[in-house]
Amino acid sequence: METIDSKTERQRNRELAKHRATRKLMLESTNLVDSSVVSDVAGQLMVDVTKEIDTWLNPPAYAEGYGRAKIMGTTSALLIHADASPEELAWLALRVVISNVRRQLPWNSACSALGRYVEEHLGWTTAEAGDQKAYFKAVAASLKKSTSEHHSRAVVRHVLRKKGESLAWAQEMHFQVGAALLECLLAGTGHVSKVRTGKMRNTKIHLRLSDELVDALAYGVDREVLHAPFSAPMIVPPRPWSSTSDGGYDAIGMSLMKRYAEGQEESMVDMPEVYAAMNKLQDTPWRINDDLLQVLRTTWRGGHQVGKLPAQENMPTPAKTWGEDETPDAEVLTAWKRKAAKVHEENARLVSKRLAVASAISQAEMNQAEPDLYFVYTMDWRGRVYPSGSDLTPQSADFGRALLEFAEGKPIGDAGFYWLAVHLANTFGHDKVSNDDRVKWVLKNEERISESATDPLDGGAFWTQADKPWSFLAACQEWTAARAVGPGYITHLPIAQDGSANGLQHFAALMRDQGSAEAVNLVKLDKPADIYQRVADRVTELLDTYPLIAPEDLDNIPRTYWSNQGVDRGLVKRAVMTVPYGVTMYGIRDQLVTEMVKRKGQDDWMPRCTFLAPIVVGAIGDVVSAASTAMEWLKAVAEAAKDADANLTWTTPVGLPVVQDYRKTDGRQVEVYIGAQKKRVRVQLSFDTPRRDFRKSISGISPNYIHSLDAAHMMKTVNRTTCRSLAMV
C-alpha cells in the first residue's frame, strides 16, 4: 500500500516539474527564444507584457516637471523596493486575467484580485530572504500536501508575525498595484482589452481576450501551465477541521468560513455536527474517470459541439444597415447598438464556457495518474459548503462533475442496478415518473444506452440528447460495464439524489402545509408531483380570466400571444426555483425574456414577459401559498431588527450560528499613474462602512434563512449516512 510520504514525494516532484515549466516559459519567452512549452501567441504575450512592466518599473526618461516619484507612485516604488521580477509580475497578471475572464468578473475585481496575489508573491520572497529562512523552510515543508496559493499567503503572514512585521496591504493598495499591472498588460498587447456593458450607473467594465488568445488557451500546447488553478485538488487527505482556523490545507492560517459576520466567529465554539460533516466531505477520495476524459478530450479538441459544449466560434456582430459614408439616424443606431451589445454579452459567456472546458480537461490530465484526489471544503456565512478549486470539483458544471468518480469502489449488487437505472433516467431528463417507471425506461432503451457507451463519437448520439449529457454518458458507460459482469461489478460512479425545488420544500415543512408538501414531494405519492407543471397549468388558468382580443391584434397583445403560444413547465421553472431565494418581479421578467430568447431568438420580448411575470408570481403563490406566508413573516422579523438597529441571528439545526450582517458601501476615487506617458487611471473603489444596510437585510432574510437550512439539511444527511456515533435528530 502506498504511504503518505511517497504520495507527498510524488506531489512535490510534480510541483517542481510545473515550476520548471513555468520558469522556462518566462525566461525563454523574455529572451525571444523558441519554446516548445508555449504557443506563439502566449509566448509573445509574455514578452510584450514583461517589457511593458519593466518600462513602468524603470522608465527610460522623465518629462520635465514630472519627476520620478510622480511617475512611479507608491505602487511601483513598492514593487521595486521588493525587487519584484517583471517576468513574475507579468505571469501573475496573465493568470489573474485568464481566471477573471473565465468567471466574468468586473475589471475592478480583477485589479483587486491581482493586487492580493502580488502581495502573496512578495510575502513569499520576503520570507525566503529574511532572517527567518530556516523557520520558513520548516513551515514551507507542509506545502508538500497542498497546491493552494491561498495557503501561501497564510504561511507568509505567519512567518512575518513571528518577525513582528506585516504585509497586510490596504484595499486601496491591492487595487492600485493590480490596476497598474493590468494597465501595463493592456498597453503591451492587443490580445486583452476593456469592454463596457450596461448604461449610466449600471455601466461595468470587463476584460476581453482576443479570439486568437482564447484559442491558444483552449487548444494550445501551453494550456497545462496557463490553466493551473490557484487552488487544486490534493493527493493526501486535508487536515481535519477542529476549529474555525485549524483545518483544510494546513493548520496555519486556513479559515473554515470565507467571510465572518460581526461576532460570528466568536460564537462558533460547539459545532460537532458541522465539523463531522465537513471532515467527511474532505476525507472522501476521488479519481479521474479515464473513459469519460477520453471522450470529452477527443470531442473538444476535435471541434465537435456536442453534449452542450459551448460553440467554438463567437457569434458575428450584427451587420450595419447603413453604408460607410452614411450617418444613421439615432433610432437606427440605438437599435443596432442594442443588438450588438447582446451579441457581445453572449460571446463573453461563450469565452468563459470555452475556457472552463479547457481548464477542466487540463486539470483532469494533470491528475489522471493520481489514485486519490481530495478537496478542501470551506463554507460561507450561511453554512453552504464549497470545495476548493474551479472547473474540476464535485460542484462543477456537468462536464466537470462527470470527470470525477469515487476512488473507493463497491460491489454494485442488485439494489445498485436499480439506483443506477434511476440515475440514468434522472440525468437524461426522464424524471417526472415513478422510480419503477424510470427503471422500465432504462431497460426499454438499453440498446441505445449501450451504443452510447461503446461508440459515443460515432454512434447514434443518444447521450447527447440528455439534460445532463456528460453525467448521462458516464452512467451509460457504468451501466454497460456492470451489466457485462453482474452484481459483483465494482462501481465507482456517484449516484446523485436531488430535491424537488429545495427552497419550497423547506417552506412547506416549516409551515406543515399538506398541499405544498404534496406539490414538492415531501409526502409519498404513487407518481412524483411536478410543481413546475402545476404552476404552468395555474398560469394558463389565470390567463383565461383575461378578456380576449380581436384577431387583428394577435401580434401585439401579450395576453393573446401567451394564450396561443402556451405556457409550459420549462418557461416557469427558474421562477419557481428562485422565488424562495428572494427573486423580484423584475428578476422573473428577465428570466422569462432569457428563456424566450433561447427558444426563439432575439426579439422584443420585454412587453410580453412584463405582462406574464406577475401572473407567474400569482400562480406560484396559489400552488404553494405557505411559502408566501413564511416569507412575509421573515420580512417582518427583519423589520423588527431594523427598529432595534441590530443584526439578525439564528442557529441552524446543526448548531451553526448565523449572523446576517449587511453593511452600506461607500466609494473612494483612486488614481493610478502608469509609466512615463503620464497616463492616469481613475476609478471609484467601493468598501464597506460601519453603517448597517437594512434594505439588504430585509430583502435577503428569506433566501439566507432557507440557504442556511438547506446547508444544515445536507450536513445532517452526510452525518446520518456516515457518522453513526453522533446523536442525530
Side-chain angles (χ1 to χ4, degrees), residues 19-34:
H19 177 71
R20 285 194 296 269
T22 303
R23 291 299 301 172
K24 183 179 180 182
L25 166 65
M26 292 191 291
L27 295 175
E28 292 187 339
S29 60
T30 303
N31 296 325
L32 297 177
V33 177
D34 290 337

Side-chain angles (χ1 to χ4, degrees), residues 66 124 234 237 263 297 322 328 333 509 595 622 659:
Y66 209 80
W124 274 106
M234 297 177 62
R297 177 173 49 202
W322 61 92
L333 182 60
E595 181 64 25
D622 291 343
V659 180

